[in-house]
Amino acid sequence: GRKDIILVSDETHSIHSEMRRKGFLRFFEEKNDTSFNIEEMPVPFSLSSSKTIVSKIAEKGKFPVSVFVINDEIAAGMILDLAKAGLKCPEDVSILGFDGLSIGGYMVPKLRSVAFPFQEIGRIAGKIFLDFSQGKKMDKIYWLNADITEGGSS
């Protein structure tokens, strides 16, 4: 498997992206395998950041490399920008996004992504709202499972 990994994170450290970032890094810390080379690349969270990321990857010229992008919009942009730079996804650069947004299905190759369980979050939010409106305290932490969308980007 690939040992060179780039973690694309949010340079503003928003709470949602920071939780994703910390969870990703914690996984590798707990794995206790020092053979992985993880480089963090913080960028502004905008679609145009994909060009910056692809440019930096192309400059390094170290392939193959795997990239975990903390949102699907930037990951989708990377697929387009890799092709413009003459790089192949997933042969040169494999990409895994996060959110499971429908935009990933329109990419070539399709974006593989950690699918955020939006409907389940909405259901839990409704339950919490109802409990609060009835004067109940929230003393529970909810753990949600995520799926991986099928795609050829990684």
Side-chain angles (χ1 to χ4, degrees):
R2 297 178 185 201
K3 297 293 184 174
D4 290 316
I5 299 169
I6 296 173
L7 167 60
V8 176
S9 61
D10 177 6
E11 70 180 10
T12 65
H13 302 287
S14 71
I15 190 161
H16 295 106
S17 63
E18 193 62 14
M19 288 169 42
R20 295 172 188 187
R21 177 188 161 277
K22 285 181 179 178
F24 181 83
L25 293 173
R26 186 178 316 119
F27 170 80
F28 284 96
E29 287 170 11
E30 290 172 358
K31 192 170 178 52
N32 202 22
D33 182 345
T34 58
S35 67
F36 290 96
N37 176 32
I38 299 174
E39 175 188 348
E40 193 165 352
M41 199 177 286
V43 296
F45 259 30
S46 70
L47 189 55
S48 63
S49 290
S50 64
K51 290 178 186 157
T52 304
I53 299 160
V54 169
S55 175
K56 287 180 181 180
I57 291 171
E59 268 180 36
K60 289 182 182 210
K62 191 174 180 183
F63 305 106
V65 64
S66 296
V67 182
F68 176 59
V69 187
I70 298 182
N71 85 11
D72 279 354
E73 291 174 3
I74 295 174
M78 283 186 65
I79 291 174
L80 298 172
D81 290 327
L82 283 170
K84 291 176 188 173
L87 296 170
K88 294 180 181 172
C89 178
E91 293 86 350
D92 298 320
V93 181
S94 64
I95 300 171
L96 177 66
F98 193 104
D99 284 325
L101 300 180
S102 60
I103 189 173
Y106 295 99
M107 299 292 100
V108 177
K110 289 183 179 180
L111 175 63
R112 181 170 292 182
S113 179
V114 177
F116 207 64
F118 292 109
Q119 287 185 341
E120 182 66 6
I121 290 170
R123 187 190 68 74
I124 291 170
K127 179 185 178 341
I128 291 169
F129 176 79
L130 188 60
D131 287 350
F132 274 133
S133 68
Q134 295 172 355
K136 296 178 184 175
K137 286 178 134 181
M138 185 185 147
D139 57 356
K140 182 176 181 181
I141 294 174
Y142 292 89
W143 293 98
L144 304 175
N145 293 320
D147 291 322
I148 303 293
T149 62
E150 288 301 316
S153 67
S154 67

